[in-house]
Amino acid sequence: KTGRKYFPANELYLCTGGDAPAWHASEFAQQSKICAEVNGGVRITNEASVYTSNFTVTNWVASASNFYNGYFSFEPAGQVTERGVVCRVYNAAATGARSLHYYSSNILGNEERARNFADNVRFLREGGIVRKVGVLYPDTPRVLDPAKTGELNTTFALMRDYTDYTYACDLTIADGILDRLQALVITVGGWYKTATLEKIRQFAEKGGMVVGVGITELRDIDNGNDYLEILFGDGRKGHSLLIGTALSGTSESTNTSSNYRVTFGNKEQMQKEIFDPMTGFLKEGGLLINDGVLDDVFIADRGNALLIMNYSGSDVRRKVTRTDGKEVETEIPDLTIMEL
């Protein structure tokens, strides 16, 4: 507020960073909300060169800023490789960021980095992202059990390969973000705030689709009520889906700030046992998934077009569901961003 008072016409950014472990007290949604209230933004410093890791650590700011009508920017905190230049452009473009910060060597360090940036910078446009799927952010479980961070990193990375989505956390759920969503997916179990779980119950009662993946416990911290039964019991049949198979993988920290490495389990098995049933369930509820395949090809909905990136390491030919619901087959070269 003081900054806005003395700089009424300037863009104002709160610079923050990290991957939000409990001891950082990094309430990125609250920071985004406070900034948006004075027409300000957040610049978060935590990216490197693995797209799903970048998405996981930046999406709390992106989701909250888009919800509260603020603006945001991404900055690297680790090594930006030749491939990383491209995935950083995509992460900003596919979330609607206002700006994207690079240190000069990230782009000018060699010819390939400069070429990759020049070939893709045209995709950067603020706003315009459509997200109908939310994933429950485990604010409280991460505080009660730091080991939940690894579970978050793994499951959120796999979910991003499946489809684009917004984070729904304690604060944004309290402020009504579920009203903008058609489906909410819960991948991290544990103990949550009572108010958060009650909002999810109300969302489900109004017709919102709720999917649980591999969770064995879901309770509220005030009363200990069993929300697995409340949300996924027989009375919710047809409106919710509880998948017993867990999203498998491991998350390991690296020596780079705010970066980690995820090793996934059997993707073919998870595709068959988790994601194909999820796609069918959501389709029955009227929600088409543009992507739906675990193959390191990533898709975001820009409203009138899909923004696609192939980060798999090889060229891919595959089917994609366009925003008009039509399924088309297209060739996507490796390390390419394209609109369809």
Side-chain angles (χ1 to χ4, degrees), residues 45-49 75-81 88 103 106 256-257 259:
T45 306
N46 56 12
E47 283 194 306
S49 295
E75 177 182 344
Q79 183 185 21
V80 179
T81 64
R88 291 199 63 236
Y103 295 96
N106 298 153
T256 303
S257 175
N259 196 22

Side-chain angles (χ1 to χ4, degrees), residues 67 168 201 255:
F67 175 62
R201 181 186 62 78
N255 58 3

Side-chain angles (χ1 to χ4, degrees), residues 22-33:
W23 50 88
H24 283 188
S26 301
E27 290 290 338
F28 290 143
Q30 189 177 46
Q31 293 177 18
S32 301
K33 179 179 181 178

Side-chain angles (χ1 to χ4, degrees), residues 16-20 26 28 43-50 53-61 73-80 88 91 256-260:
T16 188
D19 55 355
S26 301
F28 290 143
R43 187 168 93 180
I44 187 162
T45 306
N46 56 12
E47 283 194 306
S49 295
V50 178
S53 299
N54 288 352
F55 172 86
T56 299
V57 296
T58 59
N59 195 43
W60 200 3
V61 165
S73 172
F74 299 151
E75 177 182 344
Q79 183 185 21
V80 179
R88 291 199 63 236
N91 193 33
T256 303
S257 175
S258 304
N259 196 22
Y260 56 89

Side-chain angles (χ1 to χ4, degrees), residues 288-290 301 305-306 320-328 340:
L288 295 176
I289 298 298
N290 303 114
D301 186 348
L306 299 178
V320 173
T321 303
R322 297 191 320 196
T323 56
D324 61 4
K326 183 178 180 181
E327 190 176 68
V328 297
L340 182 66

Side-chain angles (χ1 to χ4, degrees), residues 56-57 148-158 251 260 262 264:
T56 299
V57 296
K148 294 291 185 183
T149 295
E151 189 177 348
L152 179 158
N153 292 340
T154 302
T155 62
F156 282 21
L158 283 164
S251 171
Y260 56 89
V262 173
F264 299 116

